[in-house]
Amino acid sequence: MSREKSVAVTDAAIDKIKQMILSGELAPGDRLPKEADLAERLGLSRNSLREAVRALALINVLDVRQGDGTYVTSLEPHLLLDTMSFVLDLHRDDTVLQFFEVRRILEPAATAMATKLMTDEEIDELRVILESLPAEPTIEELVANDLRFHQRIAQGSGNSVLCSFIESLSGPTTRARIWRGLTQEGALEKTMEQHTAIYEAMATRQADVARSWATVHIAGVESWLRHALA
Protein backbone atom coordinates (compact mmCIF):
# COMPACT_ATOMS: atom_id res chain seq x y z
CA MET A 1 0.00 0.00 0.00
CA SER A 2 1.38 3.45 -0.88
CA ARG A 3 2.17 5.88 1.95
CA GLU A 4 -0.59 8.28 0.81
CA LYS A 5 -3.20 5.52 0.79
CA SER A 6 -2.00 4.24 4.18
CA VAL A 7 -2.35 7.70 5.70
CA ALA A 8 -5.83 8.08 4.21
CA VAL A 9 -6.93 4.74 5.68
CA THR A 10 -5.54 5.70 9.10
CA ASP A 11 -7.30 9.08 8.93
CA ALA A 12 -10.57 7.29 8.17
CA ALA A 13 -10.03 5.00 11.15
CA ILE A 14 -9.31 7.99 13.41
CA ASP A 15 -12.50 9.66 12.21
CA LYS A 16 -14.60 6.59 12.98
CA ILE A 17 -13.29 6.40 16.54
CA LYS A 18 -13.80 10.15 16.93
CA GLN A 19 -17.42 9.78 15.82
CA MET A 20 -17.96 7.09 18.47
CA ILE A 21 -16.77 9.59 21.10
CA LEU A 22 -18.77 12.51 19.70
CA SER A 23 -21.95 10.44 19.57
CA GLY A 24 -21.52 9.42 23.20
CA GLU A 25 -21.08 5.78 22.31
CA LEU A 26 -17.68 6.07 23.98
CA ALA A 27 -17.55 8.37 27.00
CA PRO A 28 -14.53 9.64 28.96
CA GLY A 29 -13.06 6.74 30.92
CA ASP A 30 -14.72 4.05 28.79
CA ARG A 31 -12.73 1.07 27.64
CA LEU A 32 -12.68 0.39 23.90
CA PRO A 33 -13.99 -2.99 22.68
CA LYS A 34 -11.41 -5.66 21.93
CA GLU A 35 -9.31 -4.90 18.88
CA ALA A 36 -10.71 -7.71 16.71
CA ASP A 37 -14.31 -6.83 17.60
CA LEU A 38 -13.85 -3.10 17.06
CA ALA A 39 -12.02 -3.58 13.76
CA GLU A 40 -14.81 -5.79 12.43
CA ARG A 41 -17.50 -3.45 13.67
CA LEU A 42 -15.90 -0.40 12.01
CA GLY A 43 -14.96 -2.26 8.86
CA LEU A 44 -11.25 -1.68 9.38
CA SER A 45 -8.18 -3.85 9.24
CA ARG A 46 -6.61 -4.47 12.62
CA ASN A 47 -3.44 -2.75 11.42
CA SER A 48 -5.35 0.43 10.47
CA LEU A 49 -7.10 0.37 13.82
CA ARG A 50 -3.77 0.06 15.65
CA GLU A 51 -2.37 3.04 13.74
CA ALA A 52 -5.45 5.10 14.59
CA VAL A 53 -5.26 4.17 18.27
CA ARG A 54 -1.54 5.04 18.33
CA ALA A 55 -2.22 8.45 16.78
CA LEU A 56 -5.08 9.24 19.18
CA ALA A 57 -2.94 8.17 22.13
CA LEU A 58 -0.26 10.67 21.07
CA ILE A 59 -2.73 13.54 21.39
CA ASN A 60 -4.13 12.25 24.70
CA VAL A 61 -7.54 11.21 23.39
CA LEU A 62 -6.88 7.53 24.14
CA ASP A 63 -4.84 5.88 26.87
CA VAL A 64 -3.25 2.54 25.96
CA ARG A 65 -2.60 0.47 29.09
CA GLN A 66 -0.39 -2.54 28.52
CA GLY A 67 -2.12 -5.74 29.59
CA ASP A 68 -5.34 -3.93 30.40
CA GLY A 69 -6.77 -2.36 27.27
CA THR A 70 -7.35 1.01 25.63
CA TYR A 71 -9.43 3.68 27.31
CA VAL A 72 -10.85 7.07 26.40
CA THR A 73 -9.05 9.67 28.53
CA SER A 74 -10.84 12.28 30.64
CA LEU A 75 -10.80 14.56 27.56
CA GLU A 76 -10.17 17.51 29.90
CA PRO A 77 -8.99 20.65 28.04
CA HIS A 78 -5.64 20.78 29.85
CA LEU A 79 -4.93 17.22 28.73
CA LEU A 80 -5.93 17.74 25.10
CA LEU A 81 -4.10 21.06 24.86
CA ASP A 82 -0.93 19.56 26.30
CA THR A 83 -0.01 18.57 22.75
CA MET A 84 -0.31 22.19 21.69
CA SER A 85 2.19 23.15 24.39
CA PHE A 86 4.70 20.79 22.83
CA VAL A 87 4.18 22.34 19.41
CA LEU A 88 4.46 25.87 20.77
CA ASP A 89 7.75 25.02 22.46
CA LEU A 90 9.18 24.48 18.96
CA HIS A 91 8.46 28.08 17.93
CA ARG A 92 11.08 30.24 16.23
CA ASP A 93 12.28 33.45 17.85
CA ASP A 94 10.81 35.51 15.01
CA THR A 95 7.30 34.39 15.96
CA VAL A 96 7.46 35.36 19.63
CA LEU A 97 5.75 38.70 18.95
CA GLN A 98 2.74 36.82 17.64
CA PHE A 99 2.51 34.94 20.93
CA PHE A 100 2.49 38.24 22.80
CA GLU A 101 -0.26 39.51 20.51
CA VAL A 102 -2.40 36.49 21.44
CA ARG A 103 -1.59 36.96 25.14
CA ARG A 104 -2.71 40.60 24.84
CA ILE A 105 -6.10 39.40 23.61
CA LEU A 106 -6.64 36.51 26.02
CA GLU A 107 -5.15 37.54 29.36
CA PRO A 108 -7.04 40.82 29.89
CA ALA A 109 -10.29 38.93 29.22
CA ALA A 110 -9.30 36.24 31.72
CA THR A 111 -8.39 38.94 34.25
CA ALA A 112 -11.80 40.59 33.95
CA MET A 113 -13.55 37.23 34.32
CA ALA A 114 -11.43 36.31 37.34
CA THR A 115 -12.19 39.66 38.98
CA LYS A 116 -15.87 38.76 38.98
CA LEU A 117 -15.56 35.07 39.86
CA MET A 118 -12.71 34.68 42.35
CA THR A 119 -13.55 34.75 46.05
CA ASP A 120 -11.90 37.30 48.35
CA GLU A 121 -9.69 34.52 49.70
CA GLU A 122 -8.63 33.51 46.18
CA ILE A 123 -7.82 37.08 45.20
CA ASP A 124 -5.81 37.40 48.41
CA GLU A 125 -3.65 34.53 47.10
CA LEU A 126 -2.46 36.97 44.43
CA ARG A 127 -1.24 39.33 47.16
CA VAL A 128 0.60 36.43 48.82
CA ILE A 129 2.26 35.58 45.49
CA LEU A 130 3.39 39.18 45.02
CA GLU A 131 4.68 39.45 48.59
CA SER A 132 6.64 36.20 48.22
CA LEU A 133 9.01 37.96 45.82
CA PRO A 134 12.32 38.86 47.55
CA ALA A 135 13.18 42.52 48.00
CA GLU A 136 15.97 42.22 45.43
CA PRO A 137 14.93 39.30 43.24
CA THR A 138 16.99 37.76 40.50
CA ILE A 139 15.56 37.93 36.98
CA GLU A 140 14.70 34.22 37.22
CA GLU A 141 12.80 34.78 40.49
CA LEU A 142 10.92 37.72 38.96
CA VAL A 143 9.89 35.72 35.89
CA ALA A 144 8.85 32.71 38.01
CA ASN A 145 6.74 35.00 40.19
CA ASP A 146 5.25 36.61 37.08
CA LEU A 147 4.28 33.18 35.72
CA ARG A 148 2.65 32.15 39.04
CA PHE A 149 0.72 35.42 39.23
CA HIS A 150 -0.72 35.17 35.73
CA GLN A 151 -1.36 31.45 36.04
CA ARG A 152 -3.44 31.98 39.20
CA ILE A 153 -5.50 34.65 37.47
CA ALA A 154 -6.07 32.39 34.46
CA GLN A 155 -7.25 29.61 36.77
CA GLY A 156 -9.57 32.09 38.46
CA SER A 157 -11.32 32.85 35.16
CA GLY A 158 -13.33 29.67 35.65
CA ASN A 159 -12.77 28.70 32.02
CA SER A 160 -10.51 25.66 31.75
CA VAL A 161 -10.04 26.06 27.98
CA LEU A 162 -8.99 29.69 28.31
CA CYS A 163 -6.69 28.78 31.19
CA SER A 164 -5.03 26.02 29.17
CA PHE A 165 -4.47 28.33 26.21
CA ILE A 166 -2.86 30.97 28.42
CA GLU A 167 -0.62 28.44 30.14
CA SER A 168 0.42 27.09 26.74
CA LEU A 169 1.53 30.58 25.73
CA SER A 170 3.71 31.03 28.82
CA GLY A 171 6.60 28.91 27.55
CA PRO A 172 7.21 30.69 24.23
CA THR A 173 7.29 34.10 25.95
CA THR A 174 9.48 33.23 28.95
CA ARG A 175 12.79 33.90 27.19
CA ALA A 176 11.57 37.34 26.09
CA ARG A 177 10.59 38.16 29.68
CA ILE A 178 14.03 37.20 30.94
CA TRP A 179 15.69 39.16 28.13
CA ARG A 180 13.67 42.24 29.03
CA GLY A 181 14.55 41.89 32.70
CA LEU A 182 18.24 41.74 31.87
CA THR A 183 18.33 44.61 29.40
CA GLN A 184 15.55 47.13 30.11
CA GLU A 185 16.22 49.61 32.87
CA GLY A 186 13.42 49.68 35.44
CA ALA A 187 11.81 46.44 34.16
CA LEU A 188 11.67 44.99 37.69
CA GLU A 189 9.96 48.02 39.22
CA LYS A 190 7.56 48.36 36.30
CA THR A 191 6.51 44.72 36.49
CA MET A 192 5.92 44.89 40.26
CA GLU A 193 3.95 48.14 39.95
CA GLN A 194 1.70 46.76 37.23
CA HIS A 195 1.13 43.48 39.05
CA THR A 196 0.14 45.44 42.14
CA ALA A 197 -2.24 47.59 40.11
CA ILE A 198 -3.88 44.49 38.63
CA TYR A 199 -4.24 42.93 42.08
CA GLU A 200 -5.70 46.10 43.64
CA ALA A 201 -8.25 46.48 40.82
CA MET A 202 -9.27 42.85 41.27
CA ALA A 203 -9.45 43.20 45.07
CA THR A 204 -11.86 46.14 44.67
CA ARG A 205 -13.84 44.23 42.01
CA GLN A 206 -13.13 46.72 39.22
CA ALA A 207 -13.16 44.29 36.31
CA ASP A 208 -12.68 46.91 33.59
CA VAL A 209 -9.78 48.52 35.44
CA ALA A 210 -8.16 45.12 35.99
CA ARG A 211 -8.60 44.34 32.30
CA SER A 212 -6.99 47.66 31.35
CA TRP A 213 -3.99 47.13 33.62
CA ALA A 214 -3.50 43.61 32.27
CA THR A 215 -3.52 45.04 28.74
CA VAL A 216 -1.01 47.74 29.68
CA HIS A 217 1.21 45.16 31.36
CA ILE A 218 1.38 42.75 28.41
CA ALA A 219 1.46 45.50 25.78
CA GLY A 220 4.46 47.04 27.56
CA VAL A 221 6.54 43.89 27.14
CA GLU A 222 5.31 43.51 23.57
CA SER A 223 6.22 47.12 22.73
CA TRP A 224 9.70 46.71 24.23
CA LEU A 225 10.25 43.52 22.25
CA ARG A 226 9.19 45.18 18.97
CA HIS A 227 11.83 47.86 19.47
CA ALA A 228 14.45 45.33 20.60
CA LEU A 229 13.92 43.22 17.48
CA ALA A 230 13.79 46.19 15.10
Side-chain angles (χ1 to χ4, degrees):
M1 183 185 295
S2 68
R3 176 175 175 77
E4 291 77 9
K5 187 172 182 180
S6 177
V7 170
V9 170
T10 301
D11 286 347
I14 290 172
D15 190 59
K16 289 184 178 181
I17 296 174
K18 183 177 76 172
Q19 290 305 319
M20 291 180 71
I21 295 172
L22 292 175
S23 69
E25 190 174 350
L26 286 174
D30 280 357
R31 180 177 176 175
L32 269 65
K34 291 181 179 180
E35 182 182 274
D37 296 338
L38 185 58
E40 182 179 358
R41 179 175 165 188
L42 297 178
L44 301 168
S45 70
R46 294 177 68 169
N47 187 56
S48 295
L49 180 60
R50 287 192 200 107
E51 289 295 326
V53 167
R54 189 175 297 119
L56 290 170
L58 285 173
I59 59 173
N60 297 327
V61 172
L62 297 179
D63 179 21
V64 180
R65 305 175 190 173
Q66 287 300 119
D68 186 12
T70 300
Y71 293 78
V72 180
T73 66
S74 66
L75 301 180
E76 289 291 326
H78 72 88
L79 188 64
L80 299 179
L81 290 171
D82 189 51
T83 308
M84 186 180 74
S85 297
F86 175 79
V87 174
L88 292 181
D89 284 341
L90 299 176
H91 78 286
R92 304 186 313 275
D93 285 345
D94 61 357
T95 64
V96 71
L97 271 172
Q98 296 177 24
F99 289 111
F100 272 105
E101 289 172 351
V102 176
R103 279 191 65 201
R104 180 162 44 82
I105 295 169
L106 297 182
E107 290 201 35
T111 302
M113 292 166 68
T115 301
K116 298 175 183 178
L117 294 175
M118 290 174 73
T119 65
D120 291 342
E121 291 75 17
E122 289 171 337
I123 289 180
D124 197 53
E125 289 177 28
L126 296 175
R127 178 187 59 78
V128 173
I129 291 172
L130 295 181
E131 291 180 352
S132 71
L133 193 66
E136 296 184 7
T138 64
I139 297 303
E140 289 75 14
E141 288 173 333
L142 175 64
V143 171
N145 188 270
D146 180 76
L147 290 171
R148 283 181 60 204
F149 182 74
H150 289 288
Q151 182 182 51
R152 186 64 191 90
I153 292 174
Q155 292 169 346
S157 71
N159 187 311
S160 59
V161 175
L162 178 59
C163 181
S164 294
F165 271 121
I166 290 173
E167 290 185 0
S168 296
L169 292 167
S170 295
T173 58
T174 298
R175 283 173 59 191
R177 295 175 186 179
I178 293 174
W179 182 20
R180 181 201 188 203
L182 290 170
T183 60
Q184 186 182 36
E185 184 177 350
L188 168 62
E189 293 77 11
K190 189 171 295 186
T191 297
M192 294 173 67
E193 288 173 4
Q194 292 171 352
H195 279 182
T196 299
I198 292 170
Y199 158 70
E200 290 177 347
M202 293 181 68
T204 53
R205 303 296 178 177
Q206 300 181 77
D208 288 341
V209 176
R211 182 200 297 268
S212 297
W213 272 115
T215 302
V216 167
H217 177 54
I218 297 166
V221 184
E222 181 188 343
S223 177
W224 165 82
L225 185 59
R226 286 187 187 280
H227 285 94
L229 293 175

